[in-house]
Amino acid sequence: MQRLLFIVTWILVLTPLSWGVARSIQRSMPLFAASMPIKPIQAGSTNSTTPAKP
Amino acid sequence: MSDHSPHFLSREATVAGPGFSRWLVPPAAIAVHMCIGEVYGFSVFNEPLSRLLGGAAHDPTRDWTIPQIGWVYSIALVLLGLSAAVFGKWVERSGPRKVMVASATCFCSGLVLAGIGVQQHWLWLVYLGYGVIGGIGLGLGYIAPVSTLMKWFPDRPGMATGMAIMGFGGGALIGAPLGVTLMSFFKTATDPGVAATFFTMAGLYAAWMIFGAWLVRVPSADWKPEGWQPAATGSKAGPGKSVSVDTAWKTPQFWLLWIVLCMNVSAGIGILGQASLMCQDLFGVSAAVGGVFAGLFSLFNMGGRFLWSSVSDLTGRRTVFAIYFLLGALLYSLVPWTQKIGSRSLFVVVTALIISMYGGGFATIPAYLRDLFGTYQVGAIHGRLITAWSFAAIVGPQLINYISTAKKKAGVPAAEAYNSTLYLMCGLLLIGLIANLLVRPVHPKHHLASDS
């Protein structure tokens, strides 16, 4: 019983976490795409008003 | 049959019986932290909340503005720190189950109130619901499992708290896409579906958090891991003698750790708040690709919490914080160089490492407190230290914005304006390093009499 609870509990917790991780990795792929063009820096285009997320 | 069994929510009812596996406690903690970590993903609601009345587009005369909505998140974070500080002693007294249920009640009823506020278009109710009441739920849920985990894992306290706090970091990985999915399910031509999403999330998160509360147990007073002796852990940081919360926060060690956490968080926020835009400005990628950065951050924020805190069990807490500060300062100073050589991949790797250490700081600090002050009221002491996070979350971005704005007004190009911010982060990390190096064991006069 204890072993079953152990397995079920970890599956329940790890499933949504794994889904989130897999989704994040999938969405991050374009950052490493070699074909993405690099443009020159635009002066004054810094937008520092975005709220920070700790 | 005795009719005097303890109440389900009481501490007595959570004492584990013989043969209970301690590995069932981390999932309980993760379940709660994963839910309250949803606050990290709140930004997905910003844009839909700004067009509740205007339909498809923002109506500037009637709709809420993004800065107005941003206050919801800020209030929640401030209340997180305050409630953790104020209710810390109650958390220690009441045990983890009662606190987890209280956290679930506050967090989920806060979501419901916020949903009603959205339906009625009452911003004050969203502030009160998600910000104040939900924020109290965040604070309670954040510190609820900390001391319990350290009592179950005296041989690996860093790893144990790292697992729970990893759940908080991963909350956005689940909460943000869940919010987007639910909104797309509930939206109509005139309603972006935010209220229904809040109501649904309240139900889902309540079930998950109550599951965690049901599962959690505290060890009996005489329990210890099989074969484990305090002197034979191999850890360089053993538990300190117990110090009460009221004494602990008057010691220099508490305030040095406050500075350590505050500097680590302030520096991390510098990258978290701006890296997406930095990626766009420095490398000319599209906003969509820059936005992808946020997801990658959450991943490293989460992974760093588990990995770095586990490393701290081997190296000791002071060493691992010295690594955060020294390696962090080096990495911050490398960011301008990555732009100079045009390596976007290197920029991503460097900033991801920085973020991992930012998360690692959060996960390692409870074990650092336990090393210095013992496990007696470590949850309450941790609660008071969390104020450093709230402080840094409010002051840090203001400081960064002030410098960036001043530079821009002076006509400095974007890349150079970023450089100033990055060098400021290096300075903050060096202050943190000095505070960390000044930490010494607590004077024996502060130890509780029962220890001697």
Side-chain angles (χ1 to χ4, degrees):
Chain A
M1 189 63 191
Q2 178 91 198
R3 183 166 292 182
L4 180 68
L5 178 67
F6 181 88
I7 293 167
V8 170
T9 302
W10 275 102
I11 288 174
L12 275 175
V13 166
L14 290 181
T15 303
L17 267 183
S18 308
W19 173 70
V21 168
R23 204 175 169 282
S24 176
I25 292 171
Q26 192 187 17
R27 290 190 65 220
S28 303
M29 283 300 124
L31 278 175
F32 298 96
S35 58
M36 201 151 296
I38 293 180
K39 292 190 298 193
I41 299 160
Q42 301 291 310
S45 57
T46 309
N47 177 1
S48 55
T49 55
T50 301
K53 280 193 271 178
Chain B
M1 287 288 283
S2 166
D3 199 28
H4 298 286
S5 55
H7 190 274
F8 174 73
L9 294 179
S10 69
R11 174 179 269 278
E12 293 72 38
T14 61
V15 176
F20 180 83
S21 170
R22 61 177 175 163
W23 290 98
L24 284 169
V25 182
I30 294 170
V32 171
H33 269 231
M34 212 160 58
C35 293
I36 59 174
E38 184 272 336
V39 71
Y40 275 154
F42 183 78
S43 58
V44 299
F45 298 111
N46 284 351
E47 193 270 336
L49 282 172
S50 71
R51 52 179 177 82
L52 291 171
L53 300 180
H58 171 72
D59 179 350
T61 56
R62 295 185 299 157
D63 270 323
W64 300 332
T65 63
I66 294 289
Q68 279 178 319
I69 297 161
W71 275 104
V72 178
Y73 179 76
S74 300
I75 293 169
L77 280 196
V78 170
L79 263 293
L80 186 161
L82 288 178
S83 62
V86 170
F87 296 115
K89 280 168 85 173
W90 176 73
V91 168
E92 293 290 354
R93 261 199 323 272
S94 307
R97 184 176 288 164
K98 190 183 279 183
V99 180
M100 284 177 176
V101 171
S103 167
T105 307
C106 289
F107 183 63
C108 299
S109 62
L111 274 170
V112 171
L113 284 177
I116 296 169
V118 170
Q119 270 184 337
Q120 302 297 322
H121 210 251
W122 294 338
L123 187 56
W124 65 268
L125 192 58
V126 182
Y127 287 159
L128 178 70
Y130 199 105
V132 178
I133 298 172
I136 292 171
L138 296 179
L140 292 176
Y142 193 85
I143 60 170
V146 167
S147 68
T148 303
L149 279 167
M150 282 193 279
K151 283 167 190 160
W152 276 113
F153 291 86
D155 47 345
R156 279 175 279 188
M159 183 211 68
T161 52
M163 272 194 280
I165 292 172
M166 172 189 79
F168 193 80
L173 289 181
I174 301 161
L178 180 66
V180 171
T181 307
L182 288 172
M183 280 191 290
S184 61
F185 179 76
F186 289 119
K187 76 176 176 189
T188 62
T190 53
D191 176 16
V194 181
T197 298
F198 280 174
F199 296 144
T200 311
M201 283 180 130
L204 289 173
Y205 284 143
W208 213 238
M209 291 172 85
I210 297 298
F211 167 71
W214 167 77
L215 192 63
V216 77
R217 298 286 188 283
V218 294
S220 56
D222 57 346
W223 181 89
K224 63 177 181 177
E226 209 171 311
W228 177 77
Q229 293 298 329
T233 58
S235 166
K236 290 187 180 174
K241 293 272 188 179
S242 292
V243 180
S244 73
V245 60
D246 291 329
T247 306
W249 84 300
K250 291 171 189 158
T251 63
Q253 285 82 358
F254 176 87
W255 291 104
L256 286 170
L257 288 196
W258 197 95
I259 293 168
V260 162
L261 184 63
C262 188
M263 292 303 117
N264 196 48
V265 173
S266 299
I269 283 174
I271 275 285
L272 269 170
Q274 301 207 10
S276 175
L277 292 158
M278 280 169 75
C279 197
Q280 292 168 48
D281 282 343
L282 299 182
F283 296 102
V285 297
S286 68
V289 174
V292 167
F293 223 52
L296 192 72
F297 275 176
S298 298
L299 196 62
F300 276 82
N301 189 0
M302 185 183 99
R305 287 167 192 244
F306 179 67
L307 290 174
W308 285 110
S309 61
S310 300
V311 166
S312 79
D313 286 335
L314 303 172
T315 62
R317 259 49 86 173
R318 210 155 71 120
T319 307
V320 92
F321 266 99
I323 294 171
Y324 297 157
F325 291 130
L326 281 172
L327 184 59
L330 177 72
L331 291 171
Y332 273 105
S333 59
L334 280 180
V335 172
W337 174 72
T338 63
Q339 190 270 327
K340 211 171 186 177
I341 63 167
S343 174
R344 194 173 55 228
S345 297
L346 201 58
F347 171 81
V348 172
V349 170
V350 166
T351 47
L353 266 175
I354 291 171
I355 294 302
S356 80
M357 291 189 290
Y358 163 79
F362 279 121
T364 316
I365 208 82
Y368 208 161
L369 289 170
R370 170 257 190 197
D371 294 346
L372 291 169
F373 302 113
T375 53
Y376 171 56
Q377 287 189 324
V378 68
I381 300 168
H382 183 221
R384 293 201 184 174
L385 199 79
I386 292 297
T387 52
W389 172 14
S390 292
F391 181 83
I394 301 299
V395 175
Q398 295 298 333
L399 187 68
I400 292 156
N401 284 350
Y402 175 77
I403 292 172
S404 300
T405 309
K407 289 278 175 190
K408 276 198 299 179
K409 275 186 182 165
V412 175
E416 283 177 36
Y418 283 131
N419 290 354
S420 308
T421 311
L422 291 164
Y423 294 137
L424 170 74
M425 300 297 113
C426 289
L428 294 179
L429 288 172
L430 292 177
I431 294 171
L433 178 68
I434 293 166
N436 181 50
L437 295 177
L438 289 173
V439 174
R440 294 284 179 273
V442 176
H443 194 282
K445 71 180 180 185
H446 297 305
H447 296 160
L448 286 174
S450 58
D451 276 339
S452 54

